[in-house]
């Protein structure tokens, strides 16, 4: 009996991995088309005053911008599996442009995700165990507010209070010779700015999922049996709530990377947000696509894990 | 995306400025009195690491001294590592650097530059004329090469002996040494493109490490250009002036280079922060197309120059961090004609000039602008409001940078432009106003102006030359397509202990070799 289920799960995972890859490929196509639709092109955006029309035309040819979009997209996509993300309009290999920033964003993003999940589970469980109580109501209101706040409002508030007034935390992130933040403390402000809204969002989800579970007969039975609260939480409530929580976390992963662009700029965090914003301004398609491919893959992994959690808990429906 | 970022910065600006003004006045007692005048009295001290923030975009980082440098941070690093033949000076436009001296032939076409005594690369090899020739030819071969070394063909660059470089210009050019400032970085002959990251320079600092637009540089003890005080300079790249100002306020950097007026307002209440103003830093003229279109008649252009309220522009657009200008570009130049009568607002005269010219007041004219630099779009909006009083209806159109430079620049009848180089009168004349100038922004063709320029260029005698330059500026003042209402200051913020920061406008801000720390 064991083996078929394992095979089913593996099959399901492989299938959803393929689907995610296909979505990513389509997304990259959209990126190529979108940059093309923006007015201006990489040759004019990255040129210097004083370059003549002939110089510009030569640059356009050198950058391959005179070739059809589909052809450029195909070349870029077929090089992708070899780890080649192309060359920027300024002549830098995209992989080198991302070598420092992408791990930094990944570090910040995954820390923020971990803090969000831990915070949301703790707060959501605490509230769920005291339904209708004061703690439950306060957590509910605060969580909603936290999620409603844009990252930059949270970020500026934190910056003013924790750094410029109290002087407890560094205001910006500066990197060392290795390209990573010079001290771990520099991560705290961007981390909090990203995590606070997501803690709010996930707390609501955890709280609601736990409430759904609490209404189920087997949980009522456990309560009537007089089991301790933490045992009811860990053995009866959370396992059932897991799929819903996993979906919430997966959504957070996307929102975190979106918020990272804003938060990175504000705290000078050396991540891909700055690279992406600059590349869009430069109409630098390979760089934009490179950032999308890298972050898209990271998000896909999180979504895949969420799929896996769901598949394990609710069984696979084919 | 753009909208969101703009929103962010508006929000952040208001938030920070307000709150800091409220809280900043308490607290820190710093060496407030020492700021600008301190360096004159104190004896420079050796040692210490200066942490400098400079603006730049991670996606635009370049290491090539002859590449397109859009990042101030890159240019700063390159300028500390490599030397140009000449540099901007405080009392003269052109001061010696890698070229210790220069001399022109009788006809002002052939110029001989002698390499400074003791000039050597960071690995100890002396700089030869061959290195300079190779570097200049490399610069000349870049896409913008013809405009970076105007009038000089690749074949006109040669070495006469080990220490003498000869540049031959297509036409007499008394200001040729001026053209070799800012861009003529010298590398070792035959430096490979893939070795640029570690190529030794000749500058006051040597590279310790470079990473994603950030760098640590250490003193070159053997620099031929004089004593360098700092042990090291750490350059940090900042995407936004706001974050850079915050880093300075939090004490994470010592200098926020070219951080802007908003940050200066924010820092005003902090007595431990020096606000350094470098006048004549940035020109943001309004360009009125002269070749065709509604502004062809010089009377119309004169009317608009009289309709603008220059004081209000400086006060509101530049927050007061700037000076009123007089429609002639190159305000920082010692040769700038200060005696031309200052244009002031005269709505009545503007109206009568417009009537004389038969200007169509029923139409609405587009003024195209961008948000490339802070204050530019605001200047367009305020200008539109001001000239409305003279009856001219202007609709401000904000364009995305990429579109602007492609479709509007050099073409539209009315648009804003900007020049952050604040170069000499001659620089602007040759690049933007001669009839055949490649960047003739207003499509202005004025034979008398061309003639005055040629005369100035072909005159070696200082008095005669300045007379010719005076004439050139007079014509520019009366007829050109520029409306230059003011000049923005360059604004740096610095911690209390920093001394000897550059005072020059434009790219003069990168000269940190005389900077020292009083701590």
């Amino acid at each position: 009996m064991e083996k078929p289920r394992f095979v089913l799960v593996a099959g399901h995972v492989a299938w959803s991995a393929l689907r995610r890859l296909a979505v990513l490929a389509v997304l990259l196509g959209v990126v190529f088309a979108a940059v093309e639709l923006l007015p201006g092109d990489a040759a004019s955006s990255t040129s210097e005053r004083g370059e003549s029309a002939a110089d510009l035309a030569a640059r356009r040819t050198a950058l391959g911008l005179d070739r059809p979009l589909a052809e450029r997209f195909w070349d870029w996509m077929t090089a992708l599996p070899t780890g080649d993300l192309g060359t920027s309009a300024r002549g830098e290999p995209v992989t080198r442009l991302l070598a420092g920033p992408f791990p930094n964003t990944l570090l910040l993003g995954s820390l923020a995700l971990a803090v969000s999940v831990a915070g949301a589970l703790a707060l959501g469980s605490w509230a769920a165990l005291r339904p209708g109580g004061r703690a439950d109501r306060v957590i509910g209101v605060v969580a909603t507010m936290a999620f409603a706040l844009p990252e930059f409002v949270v970020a500026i508030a934190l910056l003013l209070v924790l750094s410029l007034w109290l002087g407890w935390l560094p205001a910006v992130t500066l990197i060392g010779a290795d390209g990573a933040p010079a001290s771990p403390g520099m991560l705290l402000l961007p981390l909090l700015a990203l995590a606070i809204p997501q803690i709010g969002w996930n707390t609501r989800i955890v709280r609601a999922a736990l409430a759904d579970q609490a209404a189920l007969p087997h949980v009522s039975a456990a309560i009537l049996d007089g089991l301790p609260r933490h045992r009811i939480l860990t053995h009866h409530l959370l396992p059932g709530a897991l799929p819903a929580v996993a979906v919430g976390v997966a959504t957070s992963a996307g929102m975190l990377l979106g918020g990272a662009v804003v938060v990175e700029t504000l705290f000078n965090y050396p991540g891909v947000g700055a690279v992406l914003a600059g590349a869009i301004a430069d109409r630098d398609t390979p760089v934009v696509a490179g950032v999308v491919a890298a972050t898209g893959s990271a998000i896909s992994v999180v979504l895949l894990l969420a799929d896996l959690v769901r598949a394990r808990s609710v069984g696979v429906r084919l | 995306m753009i909208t969101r970022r703009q929103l962010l910065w508006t929000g952040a600006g208001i938030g920070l400025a307000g709150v800091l003004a409220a809280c900043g006045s308490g607290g820190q007692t710093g060496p407030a009195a020492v700021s600008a005048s301190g360096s004159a009295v104190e004896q420079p001290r050796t040692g210490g690491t200066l942490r400098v923030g400079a603006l730049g975009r991670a996606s635009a980082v370049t290491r090539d001294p002859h590449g397109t440098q859009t990042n101030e941070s890159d240019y700063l690093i390159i300028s500390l590592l490599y030397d140009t033949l000449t540099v901007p000076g405080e009392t003269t436009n052109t001061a010696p650097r890698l070229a210790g001296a220069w001399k022109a032939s009788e006809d002002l076409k052939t110029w001989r530059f002698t390499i400074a005594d003791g000039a050597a690369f960071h690995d100890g090899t002396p700089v030869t004329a061959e290195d300079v020739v190779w570097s200049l030819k490399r610069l000349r071969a870049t896409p913008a090469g013809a405009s970076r070394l105007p009038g000089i063909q690749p074949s006109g660059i040669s070495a006469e002996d080990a220490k003498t470089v000869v540049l031959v210009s297509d036409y007499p050019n008394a200001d040729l040494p001026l053209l070799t400032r800012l861009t003529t970085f010298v590398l070792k002959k035959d430096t490979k493109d893939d070795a640029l990251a570690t190529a030794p320079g000749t500058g006051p600092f040597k590279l310790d490490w470079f990473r994603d637009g950030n760098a640590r540089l250490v003193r070159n003890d053997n620099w031929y250009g004089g004593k360098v005080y700092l042990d090291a300079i750490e350059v940090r790249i900042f995407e936004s002036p706001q974050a850079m100002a915050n880093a300075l306020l939090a004490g994470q950097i010592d200098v926020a280079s070219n951080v802007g007026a908003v940050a200066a307002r924010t820092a005003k209440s902090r007595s431990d922060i020096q606000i350094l103003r470098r006048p004549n830093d940035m020109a943001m003229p309004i360009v009125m197309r002269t070749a065709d279109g509604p502004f062809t008649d010089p009377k119309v252009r004169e009317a608009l120059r009289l309709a603008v309220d220059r004081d209000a522009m400086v006060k509101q657009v530049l927050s007061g961090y700037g000076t009123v200008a007089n429609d002639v570009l190159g305000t920082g130049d010692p040769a700038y004609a200060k005696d031309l009568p200052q244009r002031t607002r005269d709505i009545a005269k503007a109206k009568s000039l417009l009537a004389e010219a038969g200007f169509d007041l029923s139409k609405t004219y587009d003024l195209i602008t961008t948000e490339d630099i802070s204050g530019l779009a605001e200047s367009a909006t305020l200008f539109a409001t001001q000239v409305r009083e003279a009856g001219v209806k202007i609709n401000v159109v904000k364009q995305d940078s990429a579109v602007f430079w492609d479709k509007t620049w050099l073409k539209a009848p009315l648009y804003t432009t900007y020049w952050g180089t604040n170069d000499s009168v001659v620089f602007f004349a040759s690049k933007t106003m001669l009839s055949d100038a490649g960047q003739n922004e207003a499509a202005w063709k004025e034979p008398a102006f061309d003639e005055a320029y040629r005369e100035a260029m072909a005159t070696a005698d200082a008095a005669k030359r300045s007379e010719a330059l005076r004439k050139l500026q007079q014509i520019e003042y009366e007829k050109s397509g520029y409306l230059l209402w003011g000049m923005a200051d360059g604004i740096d913020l610095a911690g209390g202990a920093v001394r000897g920061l550059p005072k020059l406008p434009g790219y003069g801000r990168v000269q940190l070799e005389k900077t020292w720390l009083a701590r």
Side-chain angles (χ1 to χ4, degrees):
Chain A
M1 281 310 278
E2 284 288 86
K3 198 179 172 193
R5 180 172 160 76
F6 165 78
V7 171
L8 280 179
V9 171
H12 175 81
V13 168
W15 174 238
S16 58
L18 264 178
R19 254 184 23 221
R20 301 251 172 257
L21 273 180
V23 169
L24 196 55
V26 171
L27 182 65
L28 287 166
V30 171
V31 164
F32 265 76
V35 177
E36 188 74 8
L37 283 176
L38 289 172
D41 70 8
S44 60
S45 302
T46 59
S47 70
E48 196 175 342
R49 282 188 190 187
E51 286 186 21
S52 67
D55 292 333
L56 259 185
R59 280 168 57 80
R60 212 155 265 150
T61 313
L63 293 173
L65 295 174
D66 50 346
R67 291 157 53 222
L69 178 68
E71 199 181 309
R72 281 183 280 142
F73 178 60
W74 176 254
D75 283 356
W76 193 85
M77 284 302 279
T78 45
L80 190 56
T82 65
D84 178 5
L85 296 177
T87 309
S88 82
R90 295 173 196 279
E92 285 281 309
V94 177
T95 42
R96 202 197 299 163
L97 270 178
L98 297 182
F102 184 61
N104 286 338
T105 294
L106 215 51
L107 173 70
L108 180 60
S110 45
L111 279 176
L113 193 63
V115 169
S116 305
V117 172
L121 280 177
L123 288 172
S125 306
W126 196 26
L129 290 179
R130 296 157 185 81
R134 180 193 286 224
D136 185 22
R137 275 177 291 137
V138 170
I139 287 175
V141 172
V142 173
T144 308
M145 275 170 48
F147 177 59
L149 287 173
E151 289 95 355
F152 77 85
V153 172
V154 179
I156 289 171
L158 290 169
L159 178 71
L160 280 176
V161 176
L162 295 179
S163 177
L164 296 183
W165 285 356
L166 299 171
W168 289 350
L169 294 175
V172 299
T173 303
L174 304 174
I175 65 165
D178 59 354
S183 76
M186 290 175 176
L187 277 163
L188 281 173
L189 279 181
L191 178 60
L192 287 173
L194 280 175
I196 286 173
Q198 297 313 316
I199 290 178
W201 161 256
N202 286 300
T203 300
R204 304 282 306 174
I205 290 176
V206 171
R207 171 71 183 87
L210 291 178
D212 287 348
Q213 293 297 312
L216 295 177
H218 77 274
V219 179
S220 314
I223 295 170
L224 286 174
D225 283 349
L227 293 177
R229 276 210 294 211
H230 67 265
R231 197 179 155 78
I232 293 175
L233 181 68
T234 52
H235 283 68
H236 300 269
L237 289 174
L238 279 178
L242 216 50
V245 174
V247 173
V249 170
T251 315
S252 276
M255 289 193 285
L256 276 174
L257 276 164
V261 175
V262 173
V263 167
E264 285 177 0
T265 311
L266 194 56
F267 294 110
N268 204 46
Y269 189 83
V272 291
V275 178
L276 180 65
I280 291 174
D282 280 352
R283 315 290 188 249
D284 203 340
T285 312
V287 181
V288 179
V291 172
V292 171
T295 51
S297 313
I299 294 178
S300 296
V301 169
V302 176
L303 294 179
L304 209 56
L305 287 174
D307 274 355
L308 194 61
V309 168
R310 259 201 342 214
R312 275 189 64 95
S313 6
V314 298
V316 182
R317 299 186 196 99
L318 292 170
Chain B
M1 154 95 47
I2 301 290
T3 330
R4 174 126 199 217
R5 286 181 72 210
Q6 280 156 4
L7 182 71
L8 166 67
W9 292 122
T10 323
I14 294 164
L16 282 182
V19 179
L20 286 173
C23 75
S25 50
Q28 294 96 338
T29 45
V34 291
S35 40
S37 58
S39 46
V41 193
E42 292 168 286
Q43 201 60 34
R45 269 177 241 171
T46 302
T49 298
L50 184 76
R51 301 160 302 169
V52 187
L55 295 170
R57 295 195 333 226
S59 59
V61 166
T62 171
R63 303 292 306 278
D64 188 341
H66 305 139
T68 305
Q69 288 124 18
T70 48
N71 284 347
E72 297 187 11
S73 50
D74 291 338
Y75 188 73
L76 174 62
I77 293 167
I78 288 169
S79 300
L80 293 167
L81 291 177
Y82 302 94
D83 285 320
T84 49
L85 286 182
T86 58
V87 290
E90 290 206 16
T91 49
T92 57
N93 269 339
T94 311
R97 182 53 63 89
L98 193 58
W102 48 87
K103 202 170 169 340
S105 63
E106 198 76 3
D107 64 357
L108 295 174
K109 279 187 179 173
T110 305
W111 285 80
R112 285 181 170 73
F113 292 83
T114 314
I115 295 168
D117 282 341
F121 288 100
H122 293 153
D123 61 4
T125 16
V127 181
T128 66
E130 290 292 325
D131 296 318
V132 178
V133 167
W134 182 84
S135 300
L136 293 184
K137 284 190 168 164
R138 186 172 185 271
L139 177 72
R140 183 62 180 75
T142 57
S147 115
R148 287 161 147 186
L149 287 173
I152 297 168
Q153 305 305 325
S155 56
I157 307 169
S158 61
E160 194 167 74
D161 56 51
K163 289 286 167 195
T164 312
V165 177
V166 183
L167 296 185
V168 181
S169 169
D170 293 343
Y171 44 85
N173 191 346
D175 258 334
L176 197 134
L178 182 136
L179 300 174
T180 63
R181 310 177 314 170
L182 307 171
T183 55
T184 52
F185 294 106
V186 171
L187 296 161
K188 240 185 195 179
K189 191 185 172 192
D190 296 331
T191 299
K192 296 269 185 304
D193 281 356
D194 58 4
L196 284 174
T198 51
T202 61
F205 289 87
K206 300 186 279 188
L207 185 67
D208 181 7
W209 56 261
F210 179 96
R211 186 70 197 237
D212 302 334
N214 302 273
R216 183 183 155 83
L217 316 166
V218 293
R219 180 176 53 227
N220 173 9
D221 283 311
N222 302 318
W223 194 49
Y224 62 92
K227 187 172 167 53
V228 181
Y229 301 111
L230 294 165
D231 285 343
I233 293 182
E234 288 180 5
V235 179
R236 294 288 179 267
I237 182 171
F238 284 86
E239 177 94 356
S240 85
Q242 201 79 51
M244 186 155 78
N246 289 340
L248 185 96
L249 294 175
Q252 287 181 270
I253 52 174
D254 303 305
V255 177
S257 176
N258 209 21
V259 68
V262 177
R265 277 208 310 265
T266 310
K268 237 178 181 171
S269 53
R270 285 271 301 262
S271 56
D272 58 333
I273 305 284
Q274 307 179 58
I275 301 172
L276 298 127
R277 296 169 64 162
R278 291 176 284 104
N280 297 310
D281 186 65
M282 171 80 80
M284 306 183 201
I286 290 166
V287 178
M288 304 170 284
R289 189 172 174 86
T290 64
D292 44 52
F295 307 101
T296 316
D297 191 331
K299 286 191 186 121
V300 175
R301 304 201 294 273
E302 175 73 10
L304 290 182
R305 291 194 190 105
L306 292 171
V308 67
D309 182 346
R310 293 161 199 256
D311 286 309
M313 292 286 273
V314 170
K315 208 168 285 167
Q316 292 176 42
V317 174
L318 306 177
S319 311
Y321 290 97
T323 43
V324 164
N326 205 19
D327 305 314
V328 174
L329 288 146
T331 52
D333 190 333
Y336 175 70
K338 293 188 185 69
D339 55 336
L340 287 169
Q342 173 64 50
R343 276 202 183 94
T344 51
R345 197 174 202 206
D346 189 341
I347 293 289
K349 189 160 179 215
K351 278 184 174 165
S352 75
L353 280 169
L354 289 170
E356 266 179 57
F359 188 72
D360 187 351
L361 291 173
S362 66
K363 274 195 195 153
T364 300
Y365 302 90
D366 280 348
L367 168 57
I368 305 174
T369 187
T370 66
E371 295 190 321
D372 279 11
I373 55 164
S374 135
L376 194 62
E378 290 82 349
S379 76
T381 309
L382 185 58
F383 174 75
T385 318
Q386 290 178 351
V387 297
R388 188 77 184 82
E389 286 179 47
V392 181
K393 290 196 280 286
I394 283 181
N395 172 42
V396 174
V397 181
K398 270 183 218 170
Q399 237 168 25
D400 201 54
S401 181
V403 185
F404 175 86
W405 294 105
D406 205 22
K407 307 272 182 244
T408 300
W409 188 56
L410 305 179
K411 298 183 186 91
L414 191 65
Y415 63 92
T416 61
T417 187
Y418 58 92
W419 288 91
T421 49
N422 183 59
D423 252 289
S424 58
V425 165
V426 163
F427 169 89
F428 283 110
S430 67
K431 290 236 173 171
T432 71
M433 282 173 266
L434 284 184
S435 297
D436 58 352
Q439 308 177 56
N440 193 328
E441 297 185 307
W444 190 47
K445 288 189 169 54
E446 177 59 55
F449 182 85
D450 295 357
E451 182 51 40
Y453 175 80
R454 269 193 295 273
E455 196 187 323
M457 285 305 99
T459 310
D461 179 67
K464 278 196 189 143
R465 199 173 124 73
S466 89
E467 205 177 294
L469 283 175
R470 172 70 175 68
K471 196 162 112 199
L472 177 141
Q473 292 177 72
Q474 177 84 41
I475 302 169
E476 180 181 340
Y477 173 77
E478 285 163 6
K479 297 186 181 164
S480 90
Y482 284 109
L483 188 164
L484 181 65
W485 48 269
M487 291 295 298
D489 291 348
I491 298 171
D492 307 327
L493 295 183
V498 185
R499 300 286 184 276
L501 282 172
K503 298 186 184 71
L504 289 174
Y507 292 117
R509 65 175 169 268
V510 298
Q511 298 179 347
L512 295 178
E513 66 273 2
K514 292 287 165 237
T515 304
W516 56 282
L517 288 166
R519 69 172 173 227

